[in-house]
């Protein structure tokens, strides 16, 4: 009797793992190593960072760490004035750079698409700024913005404008960083939009021209709606890149004057490595993560609503 029961149990087990179920489980088993690696290098550090944000923890005295709950968040949001100045700069920088990049990027993509000859050569030339290391870009533009020897002040003095201390005044420093970042990142937007426009069916444009539509109408009614998905994808990536920018503001102004041009990345670096305040640095990182996730969710909903 016992032998028969064991055989029945084994038979039922073999019956559960049918070929159809094996086929259904195969994709998950193939993706499991990738998910494990992502969990180890992305999910676990994020969870540990959230854990650190709930502690008052200094690198100089780790043995005196105490659990403070949401006190670090309260300090950042209601006590620390630098946090809101950093937020103002980061959001303003993100909006200004993305607006300029997409205006220039759409125009550049349409011009490149209209080229019959030399498109590959012009595309390669246009990609040059994006291939340069951000540190090198920052150092080059720092020389150009210099008050005494910079080419920018040299050019504006030729038309009778007084020299501007671009990197030492709040307003000029903001626009100096924005222009530098736009020069570097616009090729990325242009390439994504050019790929989207190139993939559009020519029959739609030919039908529009036969019906008598002009170029503005074709762009508004056909081109723009069709390139909206790649446009939103580029917008999503660029927004995330801008919110966590570090290198160019650090090279040009180091966040100054004061904290008027300090992004979140530089703010976190200063709190952690200068003041050794692990708790507040982790809390700022969590706020940045939530802000980026919220914006990404809004972009994805925009795509889903359009598809729906």
């Amino acid at each position: 009797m016992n032998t028969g029961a064991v055989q029945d149990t084994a038979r039922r087990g073999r019956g559960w793992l049918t070929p159809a179920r094996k086929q259904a489980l195969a994709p998950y088993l193939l993706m499991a190593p990738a998910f494990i690696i992502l969990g180890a290098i992305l999910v676990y550090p994020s969870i540990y960072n959230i854990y650190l944000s709930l502690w008052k923890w200094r690198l100089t005295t780790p043995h005196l760490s105490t659990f403070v709950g949401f006190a670090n968040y309260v300090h950042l949001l209601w006590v620390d004035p630098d946090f809101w100045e950093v937020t103002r700069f980061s959001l303003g920088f993100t909006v200004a750079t993305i607006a300029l990049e997409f205006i220039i990027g759409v125009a550049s993509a349409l011009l490149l698409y209209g080229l019959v000859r030399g498109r590959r050569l012009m595309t390669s030339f246009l990609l040059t700024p994006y291939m340069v290391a951000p540190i090198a870009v920052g150092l080059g533009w720092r020389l150009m913005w210099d008050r005494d020897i910079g080419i920018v002040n040299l050019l504006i003095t030729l038309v009778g404008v007084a020299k501007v201390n671009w990197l030492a005044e709040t307003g000029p420093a903001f626009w100096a960083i924005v222009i530098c970042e736009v020069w570097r990142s616009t090729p990325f937007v242009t390439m994504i939009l050019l790929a989207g426009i190139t993939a559009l069916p020519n029959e739609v444009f030919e039908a529009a021209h036969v019906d008598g539509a002009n170029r503005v109408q074709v762009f508004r009614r056909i081109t723009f709606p069709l390139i909206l998905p790649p446009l939103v994808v580029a917008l999503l990536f660029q927004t995330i890149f801008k919110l966590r920018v570090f290198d160019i503001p650090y090279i040009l102004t180091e966040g100054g004057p004061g904290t008027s041009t300090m992004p979140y990345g530089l703010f976190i670096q200063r709190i952690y490595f200068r003041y050794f305040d692990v708790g507040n640095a982790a809390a700022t990182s969590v706020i940045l993560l939530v802000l980026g996730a919220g914006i990404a969710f809004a972009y994805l909903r925009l795509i889903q609503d359009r598809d729906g």
Side-chain angles (χ1 to χ4, degrees):
M1 295 294 293
N2 293 336
T3 303
V6 171
Q7 291 176 349
D8 292 340
T9 303
R11 191 179 300 109
R12 285 196 298 269
R14 290 195 300 269
W16 177 84
L17 197 59
T18 61
R21 288 179 177 173
K22 288 181 180 180
Q23 186 176 1
L25 289 174
Y28 300 99
L29 294 176
L30 293 174
M31 292 187 296
F35 282 118
I36 293 173
I37 294 173
L38 287 176
I41 65 176
L42 293 178
V43 178
Y44 171 73
S46 299
I47 295 175
Y48 187 63
N49 188 68
I50 296 173
Y51 167 79
L52 290 177
S53 69
L54 304 177
W55 288 75
K56 183 177 179 59
W57 189 326
R58 298 188 65 84
L59 286 177
T60 53
T61 55
H63 58 284
L64 298 179
S65 302
T66 56
F67 180 80
V68 294
F70 294 99
N72 291 324
Y73 297 94
V74 172
H75 173 77
L76 288 172
L77 296 174
W78 281 279
V79 178
D80 191 353
D82 291 341
F83 175 81
W84 288 108
E85 190 166 14
V86 168
T87 301
R88 178 194 62 79
F89 169 78
S90 297
L91 295 180
F93 170 80
T94 301
V95 172
T97 51
I98 287 179
L100 292 174
E101 286 175 11
F102 274 84
I103 292 173
I104 301 172
V106 170
S108 301
L110 292 174
L111 290 174
L112 287 173
Y113 179 74
L115 288 178
V116 178
R117 297 180 179 178
R119 181 189 297 180
R120 292 184 179 179
L121 179 62
M122 290 300 298
T123 302
S124 302
F125 177 75
L126 186 65
L127 277 174
T128 302
Y130 201 68
M131 293 187 290
V132 181
I135 299 298
V137 172
L139 291 173
W141 278 91
R142 186 173 182 175
L143 291 175
M144 295 173 64
W145 293 120
D146 188 89
R147 183 183 183 278
D148 298 319
I149 63 173
I151 190 173
V152 177
N153 275 336
L154 175 62
L155 294 176
I156 65 175
T157 53
L158 295 177
V159 295
V161 179
K163 289 184 177 180
V164 179
N165 201 353
W166 291 99
L167 303 180
E169 300 178 14
T170 300
F174 173 83
W175 288 109
I177 295 174
V178 167
I179 293 172
C180 180
E181 178 65 20
V182 168
W183 180 85
R184 188 187 73 89
S185 297
T186 299
F188 174 80
V189 179
T190 302
M191 290 302 101
I192 290 182
L193 297 181
L194 180 61
I197 295 174
T198 305
L200 299 180
N202 292 325
E203 293 80 5
V204 179
F205 298 100
E206 293 173 358
H209 289 304
V210 170
D211 291 338
N214 56 39
R215 292 185 177 182
V216 176
Q217 292 172 332
V218 169
F219 178 77
R220 289 182 56 192
R221 303 293 184 179
I222 299 176
T223 306
F224 184 76
L226 290 177
I227 66 171
L228 188 58
L231 190 68
V232 174
V233 171
L235 186 64
L236 172 60
F237 279 106
Q238 288 299 91
T239 301
I240 295 174
F241 293 159
K242 300 313 181 231
L243 286 176
R244 62 180 181 84
V245 69
F246 175 85
D247 33 34
I248 288 180
Y250 178 75
I251 293 297
L252 290 180
T253 64
E254 295 186 9
T259 56
S260 60
T261 60
M262 182 174 292
Y264 281 115
L266 189 53
F267 184 63
I268 294 170
Q269 185 264 353
R270 187 182 69 169
I271 294 175
Y272 191 94
F273 290 102
R274 183 178 297 180
Y275 303 131
F276 307 111
D277 192 345
V278 178
N280 277 324
T284 307
S285 301
V286 173
I287 293 174
L288 178 58
L289 175 64
V290 172
L291 180 61
I295 295 175
F297 178 76
Y299 288 155
L300 295 177
R301 284 295 302 269
L302 179 62
I303 296 177
Q304 292 175 355
D305 292 344
R306 180 183 178 277
D307 293 339

